[in-house]
Amino acid sequence: MIITEVLEKPDTYIIDDFLTPEETRDLQPHLNSLEWKQFADVGISNVELEKTKGYHVMEEEFSEVEDYYLSKIKSLDFITPYRFDRVLYNSFEQGNSPIPHVDSMRMGAYTYIIYPNIEWEESWGGETSLFFIPETVSPDPRERMPLKIYTKPGRLLIFPGNMLHSGSGTTVPKSRYSMAYQFWNTDK
């Protein structure tokens, strides 16, 4: 595994080769078996925007698959949350344009995104754009510029759950999958 701190964004890390090629391959039947739903983004005016394919599993309903990758996350030489609230699977397709959002409004929340595609080319799109944490935004416009994290098979991206971010559609007729383990930092 290769761990890189993303200096342009606070508390943000990329871990390449988090999944082995075998784990990535073995995950494909699970991704294909999910009952994908059409999730609708809602704009600021409460107008329903484009739908994208997604599926979520709450912590109490984690299967062996979610538990396996959770244990792999917890085995990192990193401070990890004591629990995760859910896993959100995304399947972004050609032409999708999901809107930027945060996964939690709380400081101390985290999102861990696994990219489980077997193969991916940077030119195929599907990148994750990281923007800023709304509560700590700087007047410096350079700090508000999005940073694009490109999809790479087996990659893990870690960032604060209250950071504004967005996935993106692909430029080819292929789905870009992700598994987002989300810790909302709420009291249970």
Side-chain angles (χ1 to χ4, degrees):
M1 281 187 247
I2 302 164
I3 301 173
T4 306
E5 184 175 8
V6 180
L7 298 176
E8 298 88 347
K9 301 293 177 188
D11 298 322
T12 301
Y13 302 89
I14 294 171
I15 301 177
D16 284 332
D17 303 320
F18 175 72
L19 299 184
T20 65
E22 294 78 22
E23 287 171 323
T24 304
R25 185 191 66 242
D26 292 347
L27 193 50
Q28 301 313 299
H30 177 69
L31 294 170
N32 293 330
S33 74
L34 295 176
E35 295 178 18
W36 294 97
K37 309 279 190 240
Q38 292 294 320
F39 287 177
D41 281 337
V42 177
I44 211 156
S45 62
N46 240 6
V47 173
E48 189 174 295
L49 302 173
E50 175 183 2
K51 292 183 175 6
T52 57
K53 287 179 13 182
Y55 183 80
H56 75 268
V57 181
M58 300 307 289
E59 176 190 34
E60 56 273 6
E61 297 169 358
F62 282 4
S63 71
E64 289 179 14
V65 172
E66 288 87 22
D67 282 336
Y68 173 80
Y69 294 103
L70 175 60
S71 69
K72 193 165 171 131
I73 287 169
K74 289 187 173 225
S75 73
L76 291 170
D77 192 18
F78 253 59
I79 297 173
T80 57
Y82 61 95
R83 66 176 170 74
F84 284 84
D85 295 282
R86 74 172 181 174
V87 175
L88 175 62
Y89 293 86
N90 283 304
S91 174
F92 293 129
E93 298 175 341
Q94 192 170 20
N96 286 160
S97 291
I99 62 171
H101 62 280
V102 296
D103 293 336
S104 175
M105 295 299 293
R106 296 177 182 259
M107 297 296 283
Y110 276 89
T111 297
Y112 287 56
I113 298 178
I114 298 171
Y115 299 97
N117 284 75
I118 291 175
E119 64 174 351
W120 203 260
E121 302 281 332
E122 195 173 298
S123 64
W124 296 351
E127 64 274 355
T128 300
S129 293
L130 301 177
F131 295 90
F132 53 84
I133 298 172
E135 297 85 358
T136 62
V137 67
S138 162
D140 183 346
R142 292 173 296 178
E143 291 187 25
R144 293 191 299 272
M145 295 291 295
L147 176 67
K148 291 183 179 183
I149 307 295
Y150 292 95
T151 298
K152 182 177 178 188
R155 174 172 277 175
L156 173 65
L157 170 63
I158 303 169
F159 60 92
N162 61 339
M163 182 179 290
L164 192 65
H165 65 282
S166 179
S168 64
T170 66
T171 61
V172 293
K174 292 180 176 279
S175 292
R176 190 279 272 161
Y177 296 110
S178 62
M179 298 172 63
Y181 280 80
Q182 298 172 341
F183 168 63
W184 297 328
N185 195 23
T186 59
D187 297 325
K188 276 198 166 187

